[in-house]
Amino acid sequence: MKWRNRWIFLGLVPFVLMVVAFQFAPILSMITGSVRPEDGTGFTLSYYARVLQSAFYLKAIKNSLLISVSSSIIGIIVGLICAYSITRFSPRIRNRLLMLSNMTSNFSGVPLAFSYIILLGNNGVFTLLFKQWGWNVFGDFNLYSWTGLILVYVYFQIPLALLLLYPSFYGIRDQWKEAASLLGANKWQFWTTIGIPVLTPAVFGTLGILFANAMGAYATAYALVGGNYNLLAVQIGSLVSGDVVNEPQLGNVLAVILALSTLLAVFLNHKMTQRSQMFNSNSASRQVRKRRTLLRPWATTVKEEL
Amino acid sequence: METRVKKTGLTHKLLMFVLMIYLLIPLLATFLYAFAKEWQTTVLPERWTVGWFSEMFQDIRFLDALWTSLYLCSISVALSLVIMLPAVFIITVYLPKWESFMKGIVVLPYAVPGVVAAVGLIRAYSSGPIEIAGTAYILIGAYFIVILPYMYQGIRNSLLTVSAVELLGSAELLGATRIKAFVSVILPNIWPGVMTSTLLSFSVLFGEFVLTNMLVGGHIQTIQVYLYQRVGESGHLASAIAISYFIFILVLSMILMKLGKRMNRGIEG
């Protein structure tokens, strides 16, 4: 880089300013807010102590963890089975199926919660139908409860799991299967000794993304149960926007806890991506991967905001 | 790899069928509900109407919200384009060593959920030197961060696929100045890719609810906030809004796909 061209780096200034102002400053402000006493100076951990001693907030954390873990695990199991199934179709149908699945992933947040209310809410179409037909299996079902939330969360986890897992099934190449069978391995042996070990990093990486996704999901839960169900994200929202007695410090503490859990999950994903690249480090598959990202330029980035 | 696709088994077909039903039922139900006059205790609605849609378009609050959404999303995406294009260009071409650091920055918006970002933003900007909490400025700033990953990835991928460094070298060899080379050689070449990430960012912002509701919910109504408020009032009207919103996003994704295809053809051919 020649010295006379240094002015070109001026082009980075607005970018750095925006990232500092709207990415780093808020995070910093949130962290300082969680340890600063009300008078504005000094350092205290009393808010953390309060949260960790409060049965109510502990319950919120527990509920969020439970719902995220279970919806992620269900999502990943369904995603794995369906991703494998999708690779069995001809490319044309496969692309159609993937397109449909991606399309439904646009249907999230408030509209999604709303359509579940239409279907299964107190006056939902199915609820009334089943009542009329006298099916009591769903009699105890309540959309605005734990089971209802799981149902809706799983709905938005599956397309995401499918989108993220499907490429790694591609990574298992037919040549490997042929080579294994030439060496005398049966189908079962192939999957236990080659297939599953190759898939494992991708599975855990995707699990990380799904978990972070569910932990941070606010719109769906907020639109579905409002403040009636004790979830971490919903509690943060109401503490800050003042639906209840305004206690911003507690909101900061809860936000720090939530951010720690999602950061950890995304970090897991990062580590696992590095590991799975181990399997694809030869040049041939890199070309394939490059071509694939070209085909779907937006698929490389995961959709969030649910 | 795809040379010999075996005949798809019945199990797989059945499985995919069930999956598609599961994924499409909520959409379908919303769609039917939007056109139904009455829909109770029957499998399909008994009477149909387009009244909800006409009611929706006569609702001044809906039109206002739609306009606000379009306006805010366009401004944010435009701002992001103006800032990100030169920045990503400089980083990819002149500072490739910084790329791993950039990856870290770009992944942060994923790792920090909307609720958390909103908490930080409210605290940082509700007092002190820059007091913009509750205004459109803070929202545009937050939106900038939301679409940062999409813009960065999109622009970077297009720069790499057109081999921007080599292109730039040739342009300079032929006597173009740096700015001129960027504007007349690089920009036209990466434009399809940039368009793709622009549209994607737009559709992401159009569906944004968390930040909008928490940061400016009381003052500024976007389409999502409006939808949220309507859900409690009239189910049919809300369905009509949700379906219109969804169709809009769908059309946007179709354009996205077409653009993506055309870009591939351009590169491969």
Side-chain angles (χ1 to χ4, degrees):
Chain A
M1 187 81 243
K2 289 168 213 143
W3 280 97
R4 65 183 173 85
N5 284 326
R6 291 213 102 184
W7 55 266
I8 209 158
F9 294 117
L10 279 178
L12 284 175
V13 172
F15 171 73
V16 173
L17 277 181
M18 285 301 274
V19 170
V20 167
F22 292 103
Q23 177 82 77
F24 290 116
I27 294 178
L28 201 71
S29 170
M30 174 184 80
I31 294 171
T32 54
S34 70
V35 293
R36 183 140 309 164
E38 212 141 346
D39 56 21
T41 48
F43 175 86
T44 174
L45 286 175
S46 62
Y47 296 116
Y48 283 90
R50 259 182 71 192
V51 165
L52 294 178
Q53 279 159 9
S54 139
F56 182 68
Y57 291 126
L58 282 180
K59 179 95 178 141
I61 296 172
K62 201 182 123 204
N63 280 343
S64 271
L65 285 175
L66 266 178
I67 213 164
S68 306
V69 168
S70 26
S71 72
S72 309
I73 288 176
I74 299 174
I76 207 128
I77 291 171
V78 178
L80 266 175
I81 297 170
C82 293
Y84 175 70
S85 190
I86 262 185
T87 58
R88 301 284 98 192
F89 283 84
S90 68
R92 210 168 59 96
I93 299 176
R94 188 171 55 209
N95 286 341
R96 292 243 171 97
L97 288 172
L98 283 172
M99 201 193 80
L100 271 176
S101 148
N102 286 349
M103 183 184 90
T104 54
S105 72
N106 280 323
F107 199 60
S108 59
V110 183
L112 175 65
F114 171 65
S115 77
Y116 266 90
I117 294 173
I118 294 179
L119 281 175
L120 295 164
N122 286 336
N123 288 312
V125 174
F126 282 167
T127 317
L128 294 178
L129 261 182
F130 292 152
K131 207 179 272 173
Q132 202 194 13
W133 290 346
W135 291 7
N136 283 323
V137 211
F138 300 94
D140 297 332
F141 179 79
N142 178 9
L143 183 64
Y144 313 100
S145 70
W146 164 260
T147 31
L149 273 175
I150 285 273
L151 194 72
V152 181
Y153 272 50
V154 166
Y155 181 87
F156 67 65
Q157 298 278 44
I158 288 176
L160 190 59
L162 200 59
L163 181 73
L164 292 174
L165 283 174
Y166 157 76
S168 47
F169 271 99
Y170 242 115
I172 297 178
R173 282 179 284 151
D174 279 349
Q175 289 98 309
W176 297 359
K177 281 186 196 166
E178 282 154 17
S181 74
L182 276 180
L183 292 170
N186 58 31
K187 226 176 171 183
W188 171 253
Q189 279 171 322
F190 172 78
W191 281 107
T192 48
T193 54
I194 302 167
I196 293 173
V198 168
L199 282 180
T200 310
V203 168
F204 279 99
T206 308
L207 206 59
I209 293 284
L210 293 185
F211 176 81
N213 203 5
M215 279 303 277
Y218 170 82
T220 315
Y222 182 67
L224 198 60
V225 292
N228 297 330
Y229 197 79
N230 196 0
L231 283 177
L232 193 51
V234 175
Q235 289 308 335
I236 295 172
S238 58
L239 274 172
V240 173
S241 60
D243 291 351
V244 292
V245 186
N246 223 340
E247 270 192 291
Q249 284 93 351
L250 287 185
N252 287 326
V253 172
L254 291 179
V256 169
I257 293 173
L258 178 55
L260 278 179
S261 76
T262 51
L263 274 173
L264 209 68
V266 171
F267 183 71
L268 172 80
N269 170 61
H270 178 68
K271 282 281 149 214
M272 288 299 158
T273 324
Q274 279 177 344
R275 287 206 64 177
S276 69
Q277 266 164 9
M278 230 165 56
F279 297 112
N280 299 322
S281 53
N282 58 49
S283 59
S285 67
R286 193 175 297 153
Q287 264 176 2
V288 171
R289 212 170 341 130
K290 200 176 165 197
R291 206 179 320 135
R292 220 176 298 138
T293 39
L294 273 177
L295 280 168
R296 291 173 296 143
W298 59 91
T300 47
T301 49
V302 184
K303 282 214 151 174
E304 241 205 335
E305 171 47 40
L306 299 151
Chain B
M1 196 166 74
E2 290 165 14
T3 40
R4 44 179 198 93
V5 178
K6 284 169 229 142
K7 207 168 177 329
T8 314
L10 187 69
T11 337
H12 293 301
K13 278 187 185 157
L14 211 68
L15 193 68
M16 278 299 121
F17 183 71
V18 172
L19 177 76
M20 288 302 143
I21 295 272
Y22 172 68
L23 288 179
L24 291 177
I25 269 193
L27 258 173
L28 210 68
T30 317
F31 190 77
L32 292 181
Y33 211 74
F35 285 103
K37 200 153 198 170
E38 267 166 59
W39 190 10
Q40 277 167 346
T41 68
T42 48
V43 179
L44 285 173
E46 282 167 298
R47 279 180 296 158
W48 304 88
T49 174
V50 287
W52 308 113
F53 283 90
S54 64
E55 193 177 318
M56 176 181 89
F57 281 110
Q58 278 159 12
D59 185 355
I60 203 88
R61 273 168 59 205
F62 168 75
L63 295 174
D64 270 351
L66 185 66
W67 172 242
T68 312
S69 267
L70 289 174
Y71 178 74
L72 279 174
C73 295
S74 312
I75 289 190
S76 309
V77 173
L79 179 78
S80 179
L81 263 183
V82 170
I83 294 178
M84 293 300 284
L85 269 176
V88 180
F89 174 75
I90 293 168
I91 289 164
T92 316
V93 175
Y94 298 110
L95 303 165
K97 278 183 194 155
W98 283 25
E99 288 215 316
S100 59
F101 174 70
M102 278 303 293
K103 262 189 195 147
I105 289 188
V106 158
V107 91
L108 258 184
Y110 288 146
V112 180
V115 208
V116 175
V119 169
L121 282 165
I122 290 172
R123 186 170 186 278
Y125 293 108
S126 54
S127 60
I130 317 168
E131 213 184 309
I132 51 172
T135 65
Y137 297 108
I138 196 170
L139 194 63
I140 290 173
Y143 278 1
F144 177 86
I145 297 297
V146 169
I147 58 176
L148 184 69
Y150 307 99
M151 290 304 250
Y152 176 78
Q153 293 276 14
I155 298 173
R156 183 173 168 274
N157 283 350
S158 357
L159 281 173
L160 291 182
T161 44
V162 302
S163 323
V165 184
E166 285 83 353
L167 264 183
L168 201 68
S170 333
E172 280 183 3
L173 209 64
L174 294 169
T177 61
R178 197 148 294 204
I179 295 283
K180 193 157 191 251
F182 176 69
V183 173
S184 58
V185 178
I186 304 286
L187 263 189
N189 272 301
I190 62 170
W191 199 242
V194 173
M195 258 332 266
T196 313
S197 41
T198 307
L199 284 179
L200 176 67
S201 306
F202 194 86
S203 76
V204 167
L205 288 186
F206 212 74
E208 217 293 327
F209 173 75
V210 187
L211 284 166
T212 322
N213 193 43
M214 283 181 73
L215 290 176
V216 296
H219 317 281
I220 301 170
Q221 281 204 335
T222 61
I223 199 85
Q224 289 275 328
V225 177
Y226 173 76
L227 178 64
Y228 173 72
Q229 290 174 348
R230 282 306 235 185
V231 165
E233 296 170 24
S234 162
H236 291 288
L237 191 62
S239 304
I241 300 165
I243 282 301
S244 316
Y245 156 79
F246 186 75
I247 289 173
F248 176 74
I249 293 294
L250 207 64
V251 170
L252 220 57
S253 343
M254 297 277 200
I255 301 174
L256 261 172
M257 280 231 304
K258 282 263 148 57
L259 269 179
K261 266 194 193 144
R262 193 196 296 173
M263 203 176 124
N264 282 326
R265 218 177 298 138
I267 288 160
E268 279 162 12

